[in-house]
Amino acid sequence: MLHFDPATWCRDTLAGDDGLLRRCTGATLDVGCGPGRLTGALLGSGRTALGIDVSAAAVRLALRRGAVALHRDVFGPVPGAGRWRHLLLADGNIGIGGDPRRLLARCRELLAADGLVHAELAPPGTTAWSGTATVHGSAGGSLRWACVPFDDLPGMAGAAAMRVIDTWTEAGRWFATLSPR
């Protein structure tokens, strides 16, 4: 069981966000946007961005921040499906739903033909797992989640007909960019 505190994501920025945001050069869908930190930063720099999250409380926080966000499940109807230039899976959101292969396959459906997924992963050597994450704070509750180590990504990407085209680390965080094959 993973315990995490969503208050971390309520900050205006987190160390390591810069490299992730720099790569979003076109219309960006922030999957699991939470309180809109990255969506708001993209919009603030004049880029097109939309956040989606299954938490109504998180979407309310994102809207208060000035981000454009919808209360949506990535596995349901999503505006712009098949036309997004970039998808963000930051803050470990590659674990959404507890099945990273399924999530990556869904992300591939949401992307434009030349689109890119930018994902944050657990450090190499971390044990992969799938299970329940408990949310602390006023949001409370639990959700299906998975942990994807950096070194497990190529196999998962391949299973979703995607490939890893770039990797980087910043501020102790591990990231990768994937494209459809």
Side-chain angles (χ1 to χ4, degrees):
M1 186 169 283
L2 171 71
H3 299 273
F4 61 89
D5 184 357
T8 302
W9 304 316
C10 290
R11 299 179 190 149
D12 288 336
T13 61
L14 287 179
D17 284 352
D18 291 340
L20 194 58
L21 294 169
R22 252 192 327 272
R23 286 166 170 81
C24 296
T25 58
T28 301
L29 179 65
D30 185 359
V31 178
C33 69
R37 180 183 88 246
L38 298 171
T39 306
L42 289 166
L43 290 167
S45 66
R47 291 175 269 180
T48 301
L50 172 67
I52 60 171
D53 204 294
V54 295
S55 166
V59 169
R60 282 192 300 275
L61 290 171
L63 294 172
R64 280 190 212 131
R65 178 177 287 211
V68 178
L70 297 173
H71 183 213
R72 297 285 167 94
D73 183 334
V74 68
F75 297 106
V78 174
R83 298 189 311 262
W84 291 101
R85 177 72 180 108
H86 299 276
L87 264 73
L88 288 177
L89 295 172
D91 303 320
N93 283 349
I94 194 166
I96 287 173
D99 185 347
R101 286 180 178 89
R102 178 176 177 235
L103 179 62
L104 287 175
R106 175 61 175 149
C107 287
R108 188 172 187 280
E109 294 171 355
L110 295 172
L111 283 175
D114 62 346
L116 302 170
V117 173
H118 309 289
E120 183 174 355
L121 305 138
T126 302
T127 301
W129 63 269
S130 178
T132 302
T134 301
V135 181
H136 290 269
S138 60
S142 61
L143 53 129
R144 295 285 305 154
W145 200 261
C147 174
V148 179
F150 185 80
D151 32 3
D152 285 5
L153 185 61
M156 286 187 182
M162 299 188 83
R163 62 189 174 95
V164 177
I165 62 168
D166 188 23
T167 61
W168 75 99
T169 62
E170 189 173 345
R173 296 166 69 188
W174 295 80
F175 300 96
T177 297
L178 299 89
S179 72
R181 286 189 190 192

